[in-house]
Amino acid sequence: MWSVKKKPLWVGMLVGSMCLSGSPVFAQTLATPPGGRGLTESQLARLDPKVESTSVLIEVSKELLKNDQLEEALPFLSELLIRLEGDESKKGQQTLAFTLFQLAHCQMKLGEYVSAGKNFIRFADEFPEDPQYFEARVLAAQSLTMVQQWPLVEEQALIALENVRLEEDLRVNATQLLAEARYQQEMWGEAIKPLLALFRIAQKDSARSSAAVMLVTCYVRLDDFNSLFKFIPQCDSDARHDVGLNVALLEAGDSHYNKKEFQKALLLYRLVMGKQELVEHYETRLREMKAQMKPYVADGKQTLTEFKEKQKKQEERFERASRHYQAIRDFQDYDMELALRIAQCYNDLGRNWPAHAIYQRIFTENPTNSIADQARFSAFSVMLDENEWKLAVNEGEEYLRKLPEGDYVDEITLNLMQVHLQQGQFELAYEAGEKGLKLSPDHRHMDQIKYLLGYIDFSEMDYDIALELFTEVHKRWPDGKFHQASEYWRAMSLLFLGRFGDAVTAFSAYLTNPKYADERTFEEDASYRLGIAQYGAELDRESEETLRAFVEKFPESLLRSEAYAMLGDLRGQAGDMDEALTFFGLARETATGVAQVNYPLFQEADVLYKLKRYEEIVSLMDDYLKTWGGKGDFPNAANWKGKAHKALDEYVRALGAYFDTVDEFGDNADLAGIDVIMNSVVDDYHSDEWKAYREVIVEKLNEHLGLCAGK
């Protein structure tokens, strides 16, 4: 947009349109009689400004100016200016004023804008009563506009506008210059007043349209949306349909969008007119303008010169409108780009359903356009944001069917894989990953795809394949996002394959890798797994050291209970039963749930049994059943309780422990394990060790069978 480039909006608009009138001297000088040829090169060659008389300099200057020989006039005007310095006579002052103004005018016409601006200001300062005083101020501002000296432009325009009776053309031009000077200085608030004035008084469509564009920008920069929405309806059809105005709204929307002000961006985008509406407007305007451009008729209503001037202005307006028309016609994706922006705003505002509807419309109506690719991907993405997994999968799969070579194949396949993983659909996730690698051999997310494939293989207990994939990711992408994770899971694969020695090496390497010194993501888990691997490799001393260090370093770890249980096993194997019991007790105390309670509980029972501390087993199991009930491993607890009573030669109490458990949990069809308890009773009946209690067993069985029949 032009406003960003800081270029003058009305360059050249004033030059040639202002009449240099009001002074008889000027009128005479600027009049060009028919057939005037000016001075020839040979005549000029014989004239030396420095030696000619002042009267000759004046006449030569007039002749050159009259015939538009501006470059040739410069040395004569400059010499005149030097000679007239200090001449206070009336005629001298008149000639000085003429010379200074014409010198500035020549400089402006020849592109010497700094000198022109300086001399126009000097003229106005020295001749405040001259009829062309205000014209000089405006021309000074115009010249300085060309070199973007905006503070001076503002100053000169303001001086001109102090005249409440300023001629209409000068007022319009001065207002233009003031508005642009403030606009270019990003004085958004101060620029609004002259811009509104210009919008009201300007006769030229180009000036009104430019004012409208700048007003929109000012209101947007000031976050004054109330004024913006009040102003837009004031725009006539030409201004409202101006390409520049609509581009300004579009770019203002982009600016707010990039600042994450999505609601404001959406409001601005929705003010932008669609392509068809703009095209129809420009076609109508061009037809009307063409109809007005008629050949000259000598009917006395206008001279040929007047006709040509009017015709030139009509042609300029027609050319400008034609350029705008062609620009909008050439912008093939205009409507889709606009719709895409609106949809993105809806998406970022969390309004995913309207965003989805717009995306669908874009790719449905324009299936072969490149933007359809982005729209299909966005339709998939917004359904992910909405947690509509089924619709997201449908959109993603449809994208892959329609656009197997699309720009977003990599993102689609990766996200499909993650959605399926989130839904526990490992097989579908695996298929999505493999499809992504097939469709895109140079997949942008290949390391992540292969990492996830390895994770799925690990979860499905295909540890050999998982090991291969994790090893590839670790070696192939040493600076990748999944380098550290793949090293950890590679060690885990070795552990679950039972390759304990290799697992020890792998976990040790991970825990000492200096590359992860700042953030060792899996340090806690890897520290525990190292102890397990060492235990499997029969490195009991190292395993115990590792696990003791683990519970000390990670006192809040969810794996702390399991580490204590392993320490209990290690101390038990070493024959230190009391310390083993202590660790099993710590394992139960720090357990996060019944799953972590069970192992150390029954290991503790086993140690107590070896120590013949049977009453403690009974008490331990009673507490367990009371705490966890049907959520726990009640069959195993009942059996341990019965086993302890048997060791105390209390078979009847053992039998009671069995049937009490059956009574308490047997009615719940969702609980498994009652058969295990009953099998223990049947085994006792057939055992020679407990044959003396067969009648008691039968009696108890009949009693409970009777109770069951009664129910």
Side-chain angles (χ1 to χ4, degrees):
M1 182 179 175
W2 51 262
S3 62
V4 176
K5 296 179 180 177
K6 302 289 184 185
K7 289 185 178 179
L9 296 180
W10 298 293
V11 172
M13 195 171 291
L14 297 182
V15 179
S17 68
M18 289 185 165
C19 61
L20 304 178
S21 61
S23 168
V25 176
F26 299 161
Q28 179 184 357
T29 301
L30 294 180
T32 304
R37 300 177 181 277
L39 298 177
T40 64
E41 290 185 11
S42 60
Q43 288 175 314
L44 287 170
R46 292 195 296 271
L47 295 171
D48 183 356
K50 295 187 179 298
V51 300
E52 302 295 340
S53 67
T54 300
S55 61
V56 171
L57 292 178
I58 293 173
E59 291 305 317
V60 169
S61 297
K62 287 180 180 181
E63 186 67 20
L64 291 171
L65 290 170
K66 179 175 64 177
N67 292 283
D68 208 29
Q69 292 174 279
L70 305 181
E71 189 171 358
E72 291 82 353
L74 279 180
F76 295 93
L77 290 169
S78 298
E79 181 63 26
L80 265 176
L81 194 62
I82 295 171
R83 294 188 187 184
L84 292 168
E85 292 286 352
D87 187 345
E88 299 296 332
S89 68
K90 182 178 179 180
K91 184 174 179 62
Q93 288 295 298
Q94 280 186 331
T95 307
L96 177 61
F98 159 78
T99 303
L100 189 55
F101 191 98
Q102 293 303 324
L103 176 62
H105 186 261
C106 288
Q107 290 168 331
M108 182 179 181
K109 286 273 193 175
L110 294 170
E112 298 177 14
Y113 300 115
V114 174
S115 297
K118 179 180 177 181
N119 284 324
F120 277 128
I121 292 173
R122 178 184 171 187
F123 169 85
D125 289 344
E126 293 184 9
F127 303 99
E129 303 300 323
D130 192 282
Q132 289 188 294
Y133 168 80
F134 291 105
E135 190 172 14
R137 293 293 186 190
V138 175
L139 287 172
Q142 173 64 30
S143 299
L144 295 168
T145 295
M146 306 300 289
V147 289
Q148 302 181 34
Q149 293 186 11
W150 304 117
L152 280 175
V153 174
E154 180 185 9
E155 175 190 273
Q156 295 302 306
L158 277 171
I159 295 174
L161 290 170
E162 289 175 357
N163 181 4
V164 295
R165 297 181 179 179
L166 192 65
E167 293 178 16
E168 187 63 22
D169 286 347
L170 287 178
R171 179 168 296 281
V172 171
N173 289 329
T175 304
Q176 282 183 326
L177 293 163
L178 175 61
E180 184 171 9
R182 289 178 173 176
Y183 180 87
Q184 297 289 359
Q185 293 176 84
E186 299 184 359
M187 300 165 64
W188 313 119
E190 294 84 348
I192 287 175
K193 184 177 179 180
L195 283 170
L196 284 172
L198 177 62
F199 186 76
R200 288 194 302 270
I201 66 177
Q203 297 299 315
K204 294 184 178 180
D205 293 340
S206 58
R208 284 174 55 81
S209 296
S210 296
V213 170
M214 289 192 287
L215 272 169
V216 166
T217 303
C218 288
Y219 286 137
V220 170
R221 294 296 180 90
L222 292 169
D223 280 342
D224 189 355
F225 281 79
N226 288 332
S227 296
L228 173 64
F229 289 119
K230 288 178 183 176
F231 169 71
I232 291 295
Q234 297 177 31
C235 295
D236 58 21
S237 180
D238 286 344
R240 187 66 185 88
H241 288 81
D242 186 82
V243 170
L245 176 65
N246 285 276
V247 170
L249 290 169
L250 193 67
E251 292 185 343
D254 290 347
S255 175
H256 281 285
Y257 183 87
N258 292 333
K259 291 187 287 188
K260 303 190 183 301
E261 295 171 346
F262 305 120
Q263 187 62 56
K264 292 178 180 178
L266 179 61
L267 291 172
L268 289 162
Y269 289 145
R270 291 174 69 174
L271 289 173
V272 179
M273 289 188 167
K275 180 177 181 178
Q276 187 59 35
E277 192 172 0
L278 293 175
V279 166
E280 289 175 357
H281 169 79
Y282 274 98
E283 287 177 345
T284 301
R285 276 197 67 199
L286 288 169
R287 283 196 300 270
E288 293 172 350
M289 295 167 72
K290 193 73 172 176
Q292 294 173 0
M293 298 168 65
K294 298 177 180 179
Y296 175 69
V297 176
D299 54 6
K301 294 181 181 180
Q302 60 180 346
T303 66
L304 179 59
T305 301
E306 290 172 338
F307 169 79
K308 288 182 177 180
E309 184 177 347
K310 181 180 177 181
Q311 188 81 341
K312 182 179 180 182
K313 291 179 180 179
Q314 288 178 332
E315 290 173 353
E316 288 174 351
R317 288 197 296 270
F318 184 83
E319 179 61 28
R320 179 177 181 273
S322 297
R323 288 197 304 270
H324 285 188
Y325 172 69
Q326 195 59 48
I328 197 68
R329 285 292 301 268
D330 291 344
F331 195 166
Q332 296 296 325
D333 300 333
Y334 178 93
D335 286 334
M336 283 189 290
E337 287 280 4
L338 178 58
L340 199 63
R341 284 167 162 82
I342 292 173
Q344 288 170 334
C345 285
Y346 278 128
N347 182 205
D348 289 308
L349 288 168
R351 299 170 64 183
N352 294 319
W353 289 108
H356 184 257
I358 295 173
Y359 289 134
Q360 282 192 317
R361 190 183 79 231
I362 291 173
F363 66 70
T364 300
E365 295 177 359
N366 308 274
T368 60
N369 192 285
S370 60
I371 293 180
D373 190 338
Q374 183 180 350
R376 280 192 178 277
F377 172 69
S378 298
F380 167 71
S381 297
V382 294
M383 288 299 95
L384 291 181
D385 293 341
E386 195 65 21
N387 294 335
E388 288 286 347
W389 309 123
K390 185 175 180 181
L391 286 173
V393 168
N394 290 341
E395 292 284 6
E397 291 178 346
E398 183 69 9
Y399 179 101
L400 296 177
R401 280 193 294 272
K402 298 284 187 180
L403 301 166
E405 298 180 0
D407 292 339
Y408 298 95
V409 165
D410 296 357
E411 285 70 24
I412 292 282
T413 50
L414 173 60
N415 279 281
L416 279 176
M417 195 177 186
Q418 291 173 323
V419 169
H420 287 311
L421 279 174
Q422 186 172 333
Q423 301 299 301
Q425 300 166 335
F426 284 6
E427 185 175 348
L428 292 175
Y430 210 89
E431 290 176 1
E434 289 188 317
K435 188 172 188 176
L437 296 177
K438 182 179 179 181
L439 290 174
S440 181
D442 297 320
H443 205 291
R444 287 189 292 273
H445 310 289
M446 187 182 295
D447 57 339
Q448 188 170 0
I449 293 286
K450 294 209 169 191
Y451 172 79
L452 291 175
L453 290 174
Y455 178 81
I456 295 171
D457 284 320
F458 185 92
S459 301
E460 296 293 307
M461 296 186 289
D462 292 326
Y463 302 122
D464 284 316
I465 300 176
L467 177 62
E468 290 179 10
L469 287 165
F470 289 136
T471 300
E472 180 184 359
V473 173
H474 181 66
K475 290 183 177 179
R476 189 171 172 184
W477 292 280
D479 298 318
K481 182 179 177 181
F482 299 93
H483 180 70
Q484 180 177 172
S486 62
E487 182 172 3
Y488 164 78
W489 284 104
R490 179 179 177 278
M492 287 288 286
S493 299
L494 290 168
L495 177 64
F496 279 76
L497 282 169
R499 293 168 55 179
F500 300 116
D502 292 336
V504 169
T505 302
F507 280 120
S508 297
Y510 171 79
L511 290 168
T512 57
N513 193 330
K515 195 171 185 177
Y516 317 137
D518 293 337
E519 185 179 2
R520 205 176 302 276
T521 308
F522 302 94
E523 181 180 10
E524 179 183 321
D525 194 81
S527 298
Y528 168 74
R529 302 294 178 185
L530 174 59
I532 301 300
Q534 290 167 330
Y535 180 84
E538 299 182 357
L539 301 171
D540 292 355
R541 181 177 61 79
E542 291 85 348
S543 177
E544 184 172 341
E545 289 176 357
T546 297
L547 293 170
R548 283 180 181 273
F550 171 79
V551 295
E552 183 176 344
K553 186 173 184 177
F554 304 102
E556 303 301 323
S557 173
L558 298 179
L559 294 170
R560 184 173 43 156
S561 173
E562 296 181 29
Y564 281 132
M566 285 298 300
L567 285 168
D569 282 342
L570 286 164
R571 295 320 302 151
Q573 289 176 11
D576 191 347
M577 298 302 182
D578 288 334
E579 193 167 7
L581 290 173
T582 299
F583 279 124
F584 288 136
L586 288 170
R588 289 188 294 107
E589 289 173 12
T590 57
T592 58
V594 68
Q596 285 190 337
V597 168
N598 289 339
Y599 181 81
L601 174 83
F602 298 123
Q603 288 295 90
E604 185 174 350
D606 186 60
V607 172
L608 290 172
Y609 193 84
K610 291 175 181 178
L611 296 174
K612 299 183 179 182
R613 291 158 60 174
Y614 307 122
E615 293 86 352
E616 293 181 44
I617 295 175
V618 173
S619 177
L620 189 64
M621 297 305 153
D622 282 340
D623 289 342
Y624 174 79
L625 290 169
K626 183 178 179 181
T627 302
W628 297 103
K631 296 179 181 179
D633 187 356
F634 62 87
N636 205 6
N639 279 336
W640 268 109
K641 189 175 178 181
K643 186 176 180 179
H645 281 302
K646 291 175 188 177
L648 291 168
D649 200 18
E650 298 172 347
Y651 187 76
V652 174
R653 295 185 68 180
L655 202 58
Y658 294 144
F659 282 105
D660 286 346
T661 305
V662 172
D663 290 343
E664 186 172 356
F665 304 110
D667 289 340
N668 191 336
D670 295 330
L671 298 177
I674 296 298
D675 56 327
V676 174
I677 299 173
M678 296 309 298
N679 287 336
S680 295
V681 175
V682 172
D683 288 343
D684 287 349
Y685 179 84
H686 291 293
S687 172
D688 290 338
E689 184 177 1
W690 308 109
K691 62 183 179 180
Y693 293 94
R694 286 176 180 170
E695 292 183 7
V696 177
I697 293 172
V698 172
E699 181 181 343
K700 283 285 187 182
L701 281 172
N702 288 334
E703 179 183 338
H704 281 78
L705 288 172
L707 289 172
C708 291
K711 294 180 180 180

